[in-house]
């Protein structure tokens, strides 16, 4: 696994995250008939909150991001994107473990949604997430604190 680190995101990170999201989500969104080049970018711009987002860096360079947004009954794992050439290298698992350990230490439930058919679902299942509900586009998953 490559050496990686997380740093707090800032407003200036939004465009790098927007472009990574468009690349990473394209195949799944196209498969579901939902890809729109402008919408995929604007949805992130509208929801980007640097206060709850971290940038993932490998060798000091931007490699991805992840958000953990507090809500009433849980934290929502959102905007978890890793550059395609780094997927499958263990970085995603490492990042996820670190965030889940933080939630476990506070007894916090974690929720997320993943697109139907996304390979990311296997990552989440390996880390204890189970399906709560699903529809033709999204799978909503939950993980109780360990």
């Amino acid at each position: 696994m490559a050496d990686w680190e997380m740093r707090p995101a800032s407003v200036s990170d939004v465009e790098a995250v927007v472009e990574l999201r468009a690349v990473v989500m394209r195949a799944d969104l196209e498969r579901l008939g939902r890809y729109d080049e402008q919408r995929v970018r604007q949805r992130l711009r509208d929801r980007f909150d640097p206060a709850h987002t971290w940038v993932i860096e490998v060798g000091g360079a931007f490699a991805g991001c992840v958000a953990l947004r507090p809500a009433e009954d849980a934290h929502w794992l959102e905007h978890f994107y890793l550059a395609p050439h780094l997927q499958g290298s263990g970085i995603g698992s490492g990042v996820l473990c670190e965030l889940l350990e933080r939630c476990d230490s506070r007894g916090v439930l974690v929720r997320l949604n993943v697109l139907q058919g996304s390979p990311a679902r296997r990552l989440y299942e390996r880390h204890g997430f189970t399906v709560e509900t699903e529809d033709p586009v999204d799978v909503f998953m939950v993980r109780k604190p360990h």
Side-chain angles (χ1 to χ4, degrees), residues 16-104:
V17 173
V18 162
E19 290 308 313
L20 179 60
R21 179 179 197 265
V23 169
V24 169
M25 293 192 65
R26 184 174 188 137
D28 285 332
L29 289 170
E30 284 179 341
R31 179 178 40 76
L32 295 167
R34 311 271 302 187
Y35 185 78
D36 176 293
E37 198 166 313
Q38 271 68 47
R39 186 169 183 253
V40 72
R41 289 170 170 86
Q42 194 57 48
R43 282 194 70 188
L44 187 112
R45 286 184 189 109
D46 292 344
R47 297 181 66 210
F48 185 74
D49 182 357
H52 302 294
T53 304
W54 293 268
V55 167
I56 303 162
E57 294 182 337
V58 174
F62 176 84
C65 69
V66 64
L68 194 61
R69 179 180 53 85
E72 279 186 35
D73 68 335
H75 280 24
W76 281 86
L77 184 73
E78 300 174 321
H79 311 305
F80 193 5
Y81 312 118
L82 191 61
H85 72 281
L86 296 170
Q87 293 175 9
S89 67
I91 295 171
S93 284
V95 168
L96 188 56
C97 281
E98 185 172 312
L99 294 176
L100 292 176
E101 285 172 10
R102 293 178 194 179
C103 291
D104 287 349

Side-chain angles (χ1 to χ4, degrees), residues 3-23:
D3 287 335
W4 59 272
E5 57 185 27
M6 288 193 300
R7 66 164 172 81
S10 68
V11 174
S12 64
D13 292 310
V14 70
E15 288 307 312
V17 173
V18 162
E19 290 308 313
L20 179 60
R21 179 179 197 265
V23 169

